[in-house]
Amino acid sequence: MTGIQIVQSASAVPAHTVVNDELNAYMDTSDDWITTRTGIKQRHVSTGQTTSDLCTSVAQKLLQQAGWQAADLDFIIVATMSPDYLTPATAAIVQGRIGAKKAFAFDLNAACSGFIYGLKVAEGLLQVSGNRGMLIGGEVLSKLVDWHERSTAVLFGDGAAGVLLKNEPSQTSAFLATDLQTFGELSDRLTAGYQPVNSVFATDTTAAHQKYFEMDGRAVYKFATHEVPASIQRALQKAGPLVHGIDYFILHQANQRIIDQIAKRLDQPKDKFLTNVADFGNTSAASVPILLAEAIQAGVIKRGQTIVLSGFGGGLTVGTQVIKY
Amino acid sequence: MTNDEIFSKVQAIIVDQTGEDKEKVTLTTNIKQDLDADSLDIFEVINEIEDEFDIKIETEEGIETVSDLVTFVEKQLAQEKE
């Protein structure tokens, strides 16, 4: 058990929402089809805000809520698979905008597991270099979606959320256990944003390449419903006697049906699994912190409760973090 | 494993996944039409069957009725024994 604790949480999403029926204008789909298969009713979509814009809003809210100065931060990590640039890192742009002069800043890409991987990296950093960190998951996935491809376009949304972390012994809060796994042999099951080799030296610049999301839905569904329960069980086993019952599970919000299936496989009551996929769709690395921030703000998650955070997706990756909030 | 044993396991999985009454799930039941199951329900039933019998079902093509499923499982189990 470590003295790492989540000090504050906050989110920022684009104001523009798109309900299922609006998607009819771009593809052959329906509210009924999307709702019954995914649980998604609407998603927030950027009309111009970038990933760094959303993450900067989150960063500003976090500092204001905690009463911290930007100069107090030792590091900033942004978990994202949809950065503004390959360089500079989204985290560097955020660091510059908020004036966190002391903080080193970098992006981390583990797709929809990014926030969970980020928690582990942040925990390690807090133990060796400084004691105040910021971790944000932020995505503008709408730029990676083919808005005429109904099998993927209906699933995704934009948004950002994050946490302030500090290393300080606490009576109520701690990071209890982590489980991270990567299944690189399944990397082609979920792809987006291919960067083709098309320099003047390239021998074939005509090769077909797909910029947009491509997903083997069946493979990813099967992966999630098998590997997420396994990951949660491994993490809980590591936490062992530290855990006396789980108050809530916050899973990556990809699909309501996946979440229901995971609850069933873990033999846990559905009402312990908080969800907001209906309002946001799949926001990849942002989904776990958006839901966490929402639940904390609503007073559902309280200090001292045991929470399981779990992400899964591109890589393929899965990750679970058990915390005492 | 006998056909009856395979059927009762398949039946239990379908009942669990679709929430239908046990009596409604017979060998002649058409999974999609009679049980109002969508593609994800069927996929989940197949998932559970794969886990239960430790077999692989690569495609749901040609699987319409509960009997089709039972026959498929039976064939797969027989192949594994060979």
Side-chain angles (χ1 to χ4, degrees), chain A residues 36-37 218 221-222 225-226 257 261 264-265, chain B residues 16-17 38 40-41 43-44 47-48 50-51 60:
Chain A
T36 55
R37 280 164 184 77
R218 278 182 60 147
Y221 186 93
K222 189 169 180 174
T225 53
H226 283 77
R257 299 272 290 264
Q261 204 64 39
K264 201 163 112 185
R265 284 182 178 248
Chain B
D16 181 49
Q17 185 60 32
D38 67 21
L40 269 181
D41 289 321
F43 178 51
E44 195 49 54
N47 251 343
E48 297 281 341
E50 286 184 333
D51 288 355
E60 63 222 45

mmCIF file with all atom_site columns, all heavy atoms in Angstrom, chain A residues 36-37 218 221-222 225-226 257 261 264-265, chain B residues 16-17 38 40-41 43-44 47-48 50-51 60:
data_model
loop_
_atom_site.group_PDB
_atom_site.id
_atom_site.type_symbol
_atom_site.label_atom_id
_atom_site.label_alt_id
_atom_site.label_comp_id
_atom_site.label_asym_id
_atom_site.label_entity_id
_atom_site.label_seq_id
_atom_site.pdbx_PDB_ins_code
_atom_site.Cartn_x
_atom_site.Cartn_y
_atom_site.Cartn_z
_atom_site.occupancy
_atom_site.B_iso_or_equiv
_atom_site.pdbx_formal_charge
_atom_site.auth_seq_id
_atom_site.auth_comp_id
_atom_site.auth_asym_id
_atom_site.auth_atom_id
_atom_site.pdbx_PDB_model_num
ATOM 1   N N   . THR A 1 36  ? -29.792 -0.397  -28.416 1.00 0.00 ? 36  THR A N   1
ATOM 2   C CA  . THR A 1 36  ? -29.870 -1.774  -27.923 1.00 0.00 ? 36  THR A CA  1
ATOM 3   C C   . THR A 1 36  ? -28.509 -2.475  -27.962 1.00 0.00 ? 36  THR A C   1
ATOM 4   O O   . THR A 1 36  ? -28.234 -3.308  -27.124 1.00 0.00 ? 36  THR A O   1
ATOM 5   C CB  . THR A 1 36  ? -30.887 -2.620  -28.731 1.00 0.00 ? 36  THR A CB  1
ATOM 6   O OG1 . THR A 1 36  ? -30.545 -2.555  -30.105 1.00 0.00 ? 36  THR A OG1 1
ATOM 7   C CG2 . THR A 1 36  ? -32.295 -2.140  -28.510 1.00 0.00 ? 36  THR A CG2 1
ATOM 8   N N   . ARG A 1 37  ? -27.657 -2.116  -28.904 1.00 0.00 ? 37  ARG A N   1
ATOM 9   C CA  . ARG A 1 37  ? -26.370 -2.819  -28.999 1.00 0.00 ? 37  ARG A CA  1
ATOM 10  C C   . ARG A 1 37  ? -25.252 -2.175  -28.204 1.00 0.00 ? 37  ARG A C   1
ATOM 11  O O   . ARG A 1 37  ? -24.247 -2.823  -27.918 1.00 0.00 ? 37  ARG A O   1
ATOM 12  C CB  . ARG A 1 37  ? -25.958 -2.951  -30.468 1.00 0.00 ? 37  ARG A CB  1
ATOM 13  C CG  . ARG A 1 37  ? -26.682 -4.091  -31.155 1.00 0.00 ? 37  ARG A CG  1
ATOM 14  C CD  . ARG A 1 37  ? -26.594 -3.987  -32.641 1.00 0.00 ? 37  ARG A CD  1
ATOM 15  N NE  . ARG A 1 37  ? -27.372 -5.029  -33.285 1.00 0.00 ? 37  ARG A NE  1
ATOM 16  C CZ  . ARG A 1 37  ? -28.706 -4.998  -33.399 1.00 0.00 ? 37  ARG A CZ  1
ATOM 17  N NH1 . ARG A 1 37  ? -29.393 -3.992  -32.886 1.00 0.00 ? 37  ARG A NH1 1
ATOM 18  N NH2 . ARG A 1 37  ? -29.344 -5.984  -33.995 1.00 0.00 ? 37  ARG A NH2 1
ATOM 19  N N   . ARG A 1 218 ? -16.140 -8.393  -32.929 1.00 0.00 ? 218 ARG A N   1
ATOM 20  C CA  . ARG A 1 218 ? -16.302 -9.661  -32.203 1.00 0.00 ? 218 ARG A CA  1
ATOM 21  C C   . ARG A 1 218 ? -15.081 -9.966  -31.360 1.00 0.00 ? 218 ARG A C   1
ATOM 22  O O   . ARG A 1 218 ? -15.192 -10.359 -30.203 1.00 0.00 ? 218 ARG A O   1
ATOM 23  C CB  . ARG A 1 218 ? -16.523 -10.815 -33.197 1.00 0.00 ? 218 ARG A CB  1
ATOM 24  C CG  . ARG A 1 218 ? -17.939 -10.927 -33.676 1.00 0.00 ? 218 ARG A CG  1
ATOM 25  C CD  . ARG A 1 218 ? -18.089 -12.115 -34.598 1.00 0.00 ? 218 ARG A CD  1
ATOM 26  N NE  . ARG A 1 218 ? -17.732 -13.362 -33.919 1.00 0.00 ? 218 ARG A NE  1
ATOM 27  C CZ  . ARG A 1 218 ? -18.311 -14.528 -34.173 1.00 0.00 ? 218 ARG A CZ  1
ATOM 28  N NH1 . ARG A 1 218 ? -19.249 -14.607 -35.073 1.00 0.00 ? 218 ARG A NH1 1
ATOM 29  N NH2 . ARG A 1 218 ? -17.936 -15.605 -33.535 1.00 0.00 ? 218 ARG A NH2 1
ATOM 30  N N   . TYR A 1 221 ? -14.884 -7.527  -28.390 1.00 0.00 ? 221 TYR A N   1
ATOM 31  C CA  . TYR A 1 221 ? -15.938 -7.852  -27.426 1.00 0.00 ? 221 TYR A CA  1
ATOM 32  C C   . TYR A 1 221 ? -15.528 -9.068  -26.593 1.00 0.00 ? 221 TYR A C   1
ATOM 33  O O   . TYR A 1 221 ? -15.626 -9.074  -25.368 1.00 0.00 ? 221 TYR A O   1
ATOM 34  C CB  . TYR A 1 221 ? -17.238 -8.140  -28.180 1.00 0.00 ? 221 TYR A CB  1
ATOM 35  C CG  . TYR A 1 221 ? -18.454 -8.355  -27.312 1.00 0.00 ? 221 TYR A CG  1
ATOM 36  C CD1 . TYR A 1 221 ? -19.296 -7.296  -27.000 1.00 0.00 ? 221 TYR A CD1 1
ATOM 37  C CD2 . TYR A 1 221 ? -18.760 -9.616  -26.815 1.00 0.00 ? 221 TYR A CD2 1
ATOM 38  C CE1 . TYR A 1 221 ? -20.414 -7.490  -26.203 1.00 0.00 ? 221 TYR A CE1 1
ATOM 39  C CE2 . TYR A 1 221 ? -19.873 -9.822  -26.023 1.00 0.00 ? 221 TYR A CE2 1
ATOM 40  C CZ  . TYR A 1 221 ? -20.709 -8.764  -25.725 1.00 0.00 ? 221 TYR A CZ  1
ATOM 41  O OH  . TYR A 1 221 ? -21.810 -8.957  -24.943 1.00 0.00 ? 221 TYR A OH  1
ATOM 42  N N   . LYS A 1 222 ? -15.025 -10.070 -27.288 1.00 0.00 ? 222 LYS A N   1
ATOM 43  C CA  . LYS A 1 222 ? -14.614 -11.292 -26.601 1.00 0.00 ? 222 LYS A CA  1
ATOM 44  C C   . LYS A 1 222 ? -13.420 -11.024 -25.682 1.00 0.00 ? 222 LYS A C   1
ATOM 45  O O   . LYS A 1 222 ? -13.380 -11.493 -24.542 1.00 0.00 ? 222 LYS A O   1
ATOM 46  C CB  . LYS A 1 222 ? -14.238 -12.350 -27.650 1.00 0.00 ? 222 LYS A CB  1
ATOM 47  C CG  . LYS A 1 222 ? -13.999 -13.693 -27.066 1.00 0.00 ? 222 LYS A CG  1
ATOM 48  C CD  . LYS A 1 222 ? -13.892 -14.718 -28.168 1.00 0.00 ? 222 LYS A CD  1
ATOM 49  C CE  . LYS A 1 222 ? -13.638 -16.080 -27.550 1.00 0.00 ? 222 LYS A CE  1
ATOM 50  N NZ  . LYS A 1 222 ? -13.672 -17.134 -28.530 1.00 0.00 ? 222 LYS A NZ  1
ATOM 51  N N   . THR A 1 225 ? -14.717 -9.083  -22.549 1.00 0.00 ? 225 THR A N   1
ATOM 52  C CA  . THR A 1 225 ? -15.537 -9.829  -21.601 1.00 0.00 ? 225 THR A CA  1
ATOM 53  C C   . THR A 1 225 ? -14.747 -10.959 -20.921 1.00 0.00 ? 225 THR A C   1
ATOM 54  O O   . THR A 1 225 ? -15.168 -11.460 -19.884 1.00 0.00 ? 225 THR A O   1
ATOM 55  C CB  . THR A 1 225 ? -16.797 -10.407 -22.275 1.00 0.00 ? 225 THR A CB  1
ATOM 56  O OG1 . THR A 1 225 ? -16.413 -11.156 -23.434 1.00 0.00 ? 225 THR A OG1 1
ATOM 57  C CG2 . THR A 1 225 ? -17.748 -9.303  -22.683 1.00 0.00 ? 225 THR A CG2 1
ATOM 58  N N   . HIS A 1 226 ? -13.603 -11.343 -21.491 1.00 0.00 ? 226 HIS A N   1
ATOM 59  C CA  . HIS A 1 226 ? -12.768 -12.355 -20.837 1.00 0.00 ? 226 HIS A CA  1
ATOM 60  C C   . HIS A 1 226 ? -11.633 -11.732 -20.029 1.00 0.00 ? 226 HIS A C   1
ATOM 61  O O   . HIS A 1 226 ? -11.397 -12.097 -18.889 1.00 0.00 ? 226 HIS A O   1
ATOM 62  C CB  . HIS A 1 226 ? -12.176 -13.315 -21.879 1.00 0.00 ? 226 HIS A CB  1
ATOM 63  C CG  . HIS A 1 226 ? -13.151 -14.319 -22.387 1.00 0.00 ? 226 HIS A CG  1
ATOM 64  N ND1 . HIS A 1 226 ? -14.117 -14.003 -23.309 1.00 0.00 ? 226 HIS A ND1 1
ATOM 65  C CD2 . HIS A 1 226 ? -13.334 -15.618 -22.081 1.00 0.00 ? 226 HIS A CD2 1
ATOM 66  C CE1 . HIS A 1 226 ? -14.854 -15.078 -23.555 1.00 0.00 ? 226 HIS A CE1 1
ATOM 67  N NE2 . HIS A 1 226 ? -14.397 -16.068 -22.824 1.00 0.00 ? 226 HIS A NE2 1
ATOM 68  N N   . ARG A 1 257 ? -23.305 -3.184  -23.017 1.00 0.00 ? 257 ARG A N   1
ATOM 69  C CA  . ARG A 1 257 ? -23.438 -4.651  -23.037 1.00 0.00 ? 257 ARG A CA  1
ATOM 70  C C   . ARG A 1 257 ? -22.159 -5.322  -22.532 1.00 0.00 ? 257 ARG A C   1
ATOM 71  O O   . ARG A 1 257 ? -22.203 -6.359  -21.882 1.00 0.00 ? 257 ARG A O   1
ATOM 72  C CB  . ARG A 1 257 ? -23.754 -5.126  -24.461 1.00 0.00 ? 257 ARG A CB  1
ATOM 73  C CG  . ARG A 1 257 ? -25.063 -4.582  -25.023 1.00 0.00 ? 257 ARG A CG  1
ATOM 74  C CD  . ARG A 1 257 ? -26.266 -5.440  -24.679 1.00 0.00 ? 257 ARG A CD  1
ATOM 75  N NE  . ARG A 1 257 ? -26.280 -6.692  -25.364 1.00 0.00 ? 257 ARG A NE  1
ATOM 76  C CZ  . ARG A 1 257 ? -26.945 -6.949  -26.500 1.00 0.00 ? 257 ARG A CZ  1
ATOM 77  N NH1 . ARG A 1 257 ? -27.656 -5.999  -27.075 1.00 0.00 ? 257 ARG A NH1 1
ATOM 78  N NH2 . ARG A 1 257 ? -26.928 -8.132  -27.038 1.00 0.00 ? 257 ARG A NH2 1
ATOM 79  N N   . GLN A 1 261 ? -21.910 -7.637  -19.154 1.00 0.00 ? 261 GLN A N   1
ATOM 80  C CA  . GLN A 1 261 ? -21.351 -8.979  -19.251 1.00 0.00 ? 261 GLN A CA  1
ATOM 81  C C   . GLN A 1 261 ? -20.203 -9.170  -18.252 1.00 0.00 ? 261 GLN A C   1
ATOM 82  O O   . GLN A 1 261 ? -20.079 -10.232 -17.644 1.00 0.00 ? 261 GLN A O   1
ATOM 83  C CB  . GLN A 1 261 ? -20.849 -9.197  -20.689 1.00 0.00 ? 261 GLN A CB  1
ATOM 84  C CG  . GLN A 1 261 ? -20.772 -10.642 -21.094 1.00 0.00 ? 261 GLN A CG  1
ATOM 85  C CD  . GLN A 1 261 ? -22.143 -11.318 -21.113 1.00 0.00 ? 261 GLN A CD  1
ATOM 86  O OE1 . GLN A 1 261 ? -23.115 -10.716 -21.522 1.00 0.00 ? 261 GLN A OE1 1
ATOM 87  N NE2 . GLN A 1 261 ? -22.215 -12.545 -20.637 1.00 0.00 ? 261 GLN A NE2 1
ATOM 88  N N   . LYS A 1 264 ? -21.608 -9.643  -14.829 1.00 0.00 ? 264 LYS A N   1
ATOM 89  C CA  . LYS A 1 264 ? -22.128 -10.997 -14.708 1.00 0.00 ? 264 LYS A CA  1
ATOM 90  C C   . LYS A 1 264 ? -20.992 -12.001 -14.460 1.00 0.00 ? 264 LYS A C   1
ATOM 91  O O   . LYS A 1 264 ? -21.087 -12.861 -13.589 1.00 0.00 ? 264 LYS A O   1
ATOM 92  C CB  . LYS A 1 264 ? -22.864 -11.345 -16.007 1.00 0.00 ? 264 LYS A CB  1
ATOM 93  C CG  . LYS A 1 264 ? -23.862 -12.471 -15.865 1.00 0.00 ? 264 LYS A CG  1
ATOM 94  C CD  . LYS A 1 264 ? -24.806 -12.467 -17.051 1.00 0.00 ? 264 LYS A CD  1
ATOM 95  C CE  . LYS A 1 264 ? -24.567 -13.689 -17.898 1.00 0.00 ? 264 LYS A CE  1
ATOM 96  N NZ  . LYS A 1 264 ? -25.357 -13.694 -19.127 1.00 0.00 ? 264 LYS A NZ  1
ATOM 97  N N   . ARG A 1 265 ? -19.934 -11.860 -15.223 1.00 0.00 ? 265 ARG A N   1
ATOM 98  C CA  . ARG A 1 265 ? -18.815 -12.797 -15.089 1.00 0.00 ? 265 ARG A CA  1
ATOM 99  C C   . ARG A 1 265 ? -18.117 -12.666 -13.740 1.00 0.00 ? 265 ARG A C   1
ATOM 100 O O   . ARG A 1 265 ? -17.539 -13.622 -13.231 1.00 0.00 ? 265 ARG A O   1
ATOM 101 C CB  . ARG A 1 265 ? -17.818 -12.604 -16.230 1.00 0.00 ? 265 ARG A CB  1
ATOM 102 C CG  . ARG A 1 265 ? -18.344 -13.221 -17.513 1.00 0.00 ? 265 ARG A CG  1
ATOM 103 C CD  . ARG A 1 265 ? -17.375 -13.093 -18.662 1.00 0.00 ? 265 ARG A CD  1
ATOM 104 N NE  . ARG A 1 265 ? -17.944 -13.752 -19.827 1.00 0.00 ? 265 ARG A NE  1
ATOM 105 C CZ  . ARG A 1 265 ? -17.459 -14.871 -20.360 1.00 0.00 ? 265 ARG A CZ  1
ATOM 106 N NH1 . ARG A 1 265 ? -16.399 -15.444 -19.863 1.00 0.00 ? 265 ARG A NH1 1
ATOM 107 N NH2 . ARG A 1 265 ? -18.040 -15.409 -21.406 1.00 0.00 ? 265 ARG A NH2 1
ATOM 108 N N   . ASP B 2 16  ? -29.871 -18.205 -19.736 1.00 0.00 ? 16  ASP B N   1
ATOM 109 C CA  . ASP B 2 16  ? -29.138 -17.221 -18.944 1.00 0.00 ? 16  ASP B CA  1
ATOM 110 C C   . ASP B 2 16  ? -28.908 -15.942 -19.740 1.00 0.00 ? 16  ASP B C   1
ATOM 111 O O   . ASP B 2 16  ? -29.038 -14.829 -19.219 1.00 0.00 ? 16  ASP B O   1
ATOM 112 C CB  . ASP B 2 16  ? -27.791 -17.831 -18.518 1.00 0.00 ? 16  ASP B CB  1
ATOM 113 C CG  . ASP B 2 16  ? -26.991 -16.870 -17.659 1.00 0.00 ? 16  ASP B CG  1
ATOM 114 O OD1 . ASP B 2 16  ? -27.578 -16.332 -16.705 1.00 0.00 ? 16  ASP B OD1 1
ATOM 115 O OD2 . ASP B 2 16  ? -25.803 -16.656 -17.946 1.00 0.00 ? 16  ASP B OD2 1
ATOM 116 N N   . GLN B 2 17  ? -28.578 -16.080 -21.026 1.00 0.00 ? 17  GLN B N   1
ATOM 117 C CA  . GLN B 2 17  ? -28.236 -14.918 -21.835 1.00 0.00 ? 17  GLN B CA  1
ATOM 118 C C   . GLN B 2 17  ? -29.460 -14.121 -22.286 1.00 0.00 ? 17  GLN B C   1
ATOM 119 O O   . GLN B 2 17  ? -29.429 -12.898 -22.315 1.00 0.00 ? 17  GLN B O   1
ATOM 120 C CB  . GLN B 2 17  ? -27.417 -15.365 -23.061 1.00 0.00 ? 17  GLN B CB  1
ATOM 121 C CG  . GLN B 2 17  ? -26.904 -14.240 -23.924 1.00 0.00 ? 17  GLN B CG  1
ATOM 122 C CD  . GLN B 2 17  ? -25.974 -13.294 -23.161 1.00 0.00 ? 17  GLN B CD  1
ATOM 123 O OE1 . GLN B 2 17  ? -25.250 -13.719 -22.258 1.00 0.00 ? 17  GLN B OE1 1
ATOM 124 N NE2 . GLN B 2 17  ? -26.012 -12.012 -23.496 1.00 0.00 ? 17  GLN B NE2 1
ATOM 125 N N   . ASP B 2 38  ? -30.619 -10.404 -30.571 1.00 0.00 ? 38  ASP B N   1
ATOM 126 C CA  . ASP B 2 38  ? -29.893 -9.677  -31.615 1.00 0.00 ? 38  ASP B CA  1
ATOM 127 C C   . ASP B 2 38  ? -28.509 -10.310 -31.793 1.00 0.00 ? 38  ASP B C   1
ATOM 128 O O   . ASP B 2 38  ? -28.161 -11.295 -31.136 1.00 0.00 ? 38  ASP B O   1
ATOM 129 C CB  . ASP B 2 38  ? -29.835 -8.174  -31.317 1.00 0.00 ? 38  ASP B CB  1
ATOM 130 C CG  . ASP B 2 38  ? -29.002 -7.842  -30.088 1.00 0.00 ? 38  ASP B CG  1
ATOM 131 O OD1 . ASP B 2 38  ? -28.163 -8.670  -29.689 1.00 0.00 ? 38  ASP B OD1 1
ATOM 132 O OD2 . ASP B 2 38  ? -29.190 -6.742  -29.540 1.00 0.00 ? 38  ASP B OD2 1
ATOM 133 N N   . LEU B 2 40  ? -25.571 -9.490  -30.948 1.00 0.00 ? 40  LEU B N   1
ATOM 134 C CA  . LEU B 2 40  ? -24.691 -9.552  -29.776 1.00 0.00 ? 40  LEU B CA  1
ATOM 135 C C   . LEU B 2 40  ? -25.109 -10.662 -28.819 1.00 0.00 ? 40  LEU B C   1
ATOM 136 O O   . LEU B 2 40  ? -24.277 -11.312 -28.204 1.00 0.00 ? 40  LEU B O   1
ATOM 137 C CB  . LEU B 2 40  ? -24.701 -8.213  -29.027 1.00 0.00 ? 40  LEU B CB  1
ATOM 138 C CG  . LEU B 2 40  ? -23.654 -7.188  -29.444 1.00 0.00 ? 40  LEU B CG  1
ATOM 139 C CD1 . LEU B 2 40  ? -23.780 -5.932  -28.604 1.00 0.00 ? 40  LEU B CD1 1
ATOM 140 C CD2 . LEU B 2 40  ? -22.248 -7.742  -29.332 1.00 0.00 ? 40  LEU B CD2 1
ATOM 141 N N   . ASP B 2 41  ? -26.445 -10.879 -28.700 1.00 0.00 ? 41  ASP B N   1
ATOM 142 C CA  . ASP B 2 41  ? -26.932 -11.986 -27.858 1.00 0.00 ? 41  ASP B CA  1
ATOM 143 C C   . ASP B 2 41  ? -26.394 -13.307 -28.378 1.00 0.00 ? 41  ASP B C   1
ATOM 144 O O   . ASP B 2 41  ? -25.911 -14.145 -27.628 1.00 0.00 ? 41  ASP B O   1
ATOM 145 C CB  . ASP B 2 41  ? -28.471 -12.050 -27.871 1.00 0.00 ? 41  ASP B CB  1
ATOM 146 C CG  . ASP B 2 41  ? -29.096 -10.901 -27.098 1.00 0.00 ? 41  ASP B CG  1
ATOM 147 O OD1 . ASP B 2 41  ? -28.544 -10.538 -26.048 1.00 0.00 ? 41  ASP B OD1 1
ATOM 148 O OD2 . ASP B 2 41  ? -30.124 -10.377 -27.553 1.00 0.00 ? 41  ASP B OD2 1
ATOM 149 N N   . PHE B 2 43  ? -23.856 -13.790 -30.332 1.00 0.00 ? 43  PHE B N   1
ATOM 150 C CA  . PHE B 2 43  ? -22.410 -13.825 -30.161 1.00 0.00 ? 43  PHE B CA  1
ATOM 151 C C   . PHE B 2 43  ? -22.056 -14.209 -28.723 1.00 0.00 ? 43  PHE B C   1
ATOM 152 O O   . PHE B 2 43  ? -21.151 -15.003 -28.482 1.00 0.00 ? 43  PHE B O   1
ATOM 153 C CB  . PHE B 2 43  ? -21.812 -12.473 -30.530 1.00 0.00 ? 43  PHE B CB  1
ATOM 154 C CG  . PHE B 2 43  ? -20.341 -12.423 -30.328 1.00 0.00 ? 43  PHE B CG  1
ATOM 155 C CD1 . PHE B 2 43  ? -19.527 -13.400 -30.868 1.00 0.00 ? 43  PHE B CD1 1
ATOM 156 C CD2 . PHE B 2 43  ? -19.771 -11.420 -29.577 1.00 0.00 ? 43  PHE B CD2 1
ATOM 157 C CE1 . PHE B 2 43  ? -18.164 -13.381 -30.671 1.00 0.00 ? 43  PHE B CE1 1
ATOM 158 C CE2 . PHE B 2 43  ? -18.411 -11.394 -29.368 1.00 0.00 ? 43  PHE B CE2 1
ATOM 159 C CZ  . PHE B 2 43  ? -17.608 -12.371 -29.910 1.00 0.00 ? 43  PHE B CZ  1
ATOM 160 N N   . GLU B 2 44  ? -22.794 -13.657 -27.772 1.00 0.00 ? 44  GLU B N   1
ATOM 161 C CA  . GLU B 2 44  ? -22.518 -13.954 -26.366 1.00 0.00 ? 44  GLU B CA  1
ATOM 162 C C   . GLU B 2 44  ? -22.837 -15.415 -26.039 1.00 0.00 ? 44  GLU B C   1
ATOM 163 O O   . GLU B 2 44  ? -22.098 -16.072 -25.302 1.00 0.00 ? 44  GLU B O   1
ATOM 164 C CB  . GLU B 2 44  ? -23.305 -12.992 -25.462 1.00 0.00 ? 44  GLU B CB  1
ATOM 165 C CG  . GLU B 2 44  ? -22.823 -12.962 -24.029 1.00 0.00 ? 44  GLU B CG  1
ATOM 166 C CD  . GLU B 2 44  ? -21.312 -12.792 -23.904 1.00 0.00 ? 44  GLU B CD  1
ATOM 167 O OE1 . GLU B 2 44  ? -20.747 -11.840 -24.473 1.00 0.00 ? 44  GLU B OE1 1
ATOM 168 O OE2 . GLU B 2 44  ? -20.707 -13.657 -23.252 1.00 0.00 ? 44  GLU B OE2 1
ATOM 169 N N   . ASN B 2 47  ? -19.971 -17.295 -27.348 1.00 0.00 ? 47  ASN B N   1
ATOM 170 C CA  . ASN B 2 47  ? -18.855 -17.085 -26.414 1.00 0.00 ? 47  ASN B CA  1
ATOM 171 C C   . ASN B 2 47  ? -18.925 -18.048 -25.237 1.00 0.00 ? 47  ASN B C   1
ATOM 172 O O   . ASN B 2 47  ? -17.950 -18.675 -24.854 1.00 0.00 ? 47  ASN B O   1
ATOM 173 C CB  . ASN B 2 47  ? -18.946 -15.664 -25.844 1.00 0.00 ? 47  ASN B CB  1
ATOM 174 C CG  . ASN B 2 47  ? -17.864 -14.764 -26.383 1.00 0.00 ? 47  ASN B CG  1
ATOM 175 O OD1 . ASN B 2 47  ? -16.880 -15.233 -26.919 1.00 0.00 ? 47  ASN B OD1 1
ATOM 176 N ND2 . ASN B 2 47  ? -18.063 -13.476 -26.232 1.00 0.00 ? 47  ASN B ND2 1
ATOM 177 N N   . GLU B 2 48  ? -20.117 -18.102 -24.641 1.00 0.00 ? 48  GLU B N   1
ATOM 178 C CA  . GLU B 2 48  ? -20.322 -18.935 -23.443 1.00 0.00 ? 48  GLU B CA  1
ATOM 179 C C   . GLU B 2 48  ? -20.165 -20.422 -23.798 1.00 0.00 ? 48  GLU B C   1
ATOM 180 O O   . GLU B 2 48  ? -19.621 -21.190 -23.013 1.00 0.00 ? 48  GLU B O   1
ATOM 181 C CB  . GLU B 2 48  ? -21.725 -18.696 -22.860 1.00 0.00 ? 48  GLU B CB  1
ATOM 182 C CG  . GLU B 2 48  ? -21.957 -17.276 -22.369 1.00 0.00 ? 48  GLU B CG  1
ATOM 183 C CD  . GLU B 2 48  ? -21.347 -17.020 -21.000 1.00 0.00 ? 48  GLU B CD  1
ATOM 184 O OE1 . GLU B 2 48  ? -21.068 -18.003 -20.292 1.00 0.00 ? 48  GLU B OE1 1
ATOM 185 O OE2 . GLU B 2 48  ? -21.152 -15.838 -20.649 1.00 0.00 ? 48  GLU B OE2 1
ATOM 186 N N   . GLU B 2 50  ? -18.344 -21.631 -26.230 1.00 0.00 ? 50  GLU B N   1
ATOM 187 C CA  . GLU B 2 50  ? -16.906 -21.869 -26.435 1.00 0.00 ? 50  GLU B CA  1
ATOM 188 C C   . GLU B 2 50  ? -16.200 -22.120 -25.104 1.00 0.00 ? 50  GLU B C   1
ATOM 189 O O   . GLU B 2 50  ? -15.379 -23.018 -24.972 1.00 0.00 ? 50  GLU B O   1
ATOM 190 C CB  . GLU B 2 50  ? -16.261 -20.669 -27.144 1.00 0.00 ? 50  GLU B CB  1
ATOM 191 C CG  . GLU B 2 50  ? -16.606 -20.581 -28.623 1.00 0.00 ? 50  GLU B CG  1
ATOM 192 C CD  . GLU B 2 50  ? -15.880 -19.440 -29.317 1.00 0.00 ? 50  GLU B CD  1
ATOM 193 O OE1 . GLU B 2 50  ? -15.537 -18.433 -28.655 1.00 0.00 ? 50  GLU B OE1 1
ATOM 194 O OE2 . GLU B 2 50  ? -15.656 -19.545 -30.529 1.00 0.00 ? 50  GLU B OE2 1
ATOM 195 N N   . ASP B 2 51  ? -16.552 -21.293 -24.103 1.00 0.00 ? 51  ASP B N   1
ATOM 196 C CA  . ASP B 2 51  ? -15.931 -21.447 -22.783 1.00 0.00 ? 51  ASP B CA  1
ATOM 197 C C   . ASP B 2 51  ? -16.357 -22.755 -22.122 1.00 0.00 ? 51  ASP B C   1
ATOM 198 O O   . ASP B 2 51  ? -15.540 -23.485 -21.571 1.00 0.00 ? 51  ASP B O   1
ATOM 199 C CB  . ASP B 2 51  ? -16.326 -20.274 -21.863 1.00 0.00 ? 51  ASP B CB  1
ATOM 200 C CG  . ASP B 2 51  ? -15.634 -18.985 -22.269 1.00 0.00 ? 51  ASP B CG  1
ATOM 201 O OD1 . ASP B 2 51  ? -14.790 -19.036 -23.185 1.00 0.00 ? 51  ASP B OD1 1
ATOM 202 O OD2 . ASP B 2 51  ? -15.948 -17.934 -21.682 1.00 0.00 ? 51  ASP B OD2 1
ATOM 203 N N   . GLU B 2 60  ? -20.926 -17.881 -37.010 1.00 0.00 ? 60  GLU B N   1
ATOM 204 C CA  . GLU B 2 60  ? -22.266 -18.307 -36.615 1.00 0.00 ? 60  GLU B CA  1
ATOM 205 C C   . GLU B 2 60  ? -23.117 -18.625 -37.841 1.00 0.00 ? 60  GLU B C   1
ATOM 206 O O   . GLU B 2 60  ? -24.302 -18.889 -37.737 1.00 0.00 ? 60  GLU B O   1
ATOM 207 C CB  . GLU B 2 60  ? -22.935 -17.246 -35.735 1.00 0.00 ? 60  GLU B CB  1
ATOM 208 C CG  . GLU B 2 60  ? -23.157 -15.928 -36.411 1.00 0.00 ? 60  GLU B CG  1
ATOM 209 C CD  . GLU B 2 60  ? -22.810 -14.767 -35.480 1.00 0.00 ? 60  GLU B CD  1
ATOM 210 O OE1 . GLU B 2 60  ? -21.764 -14.815 -34.822 1.00 0.00 ? 60  GLU B OE1 1
ATOM 211 O OE2 . GLU B 2 60  ? -23.598 -13.818 -35.436 1.00 0.00 ? 60  GLU B OE2 1
#
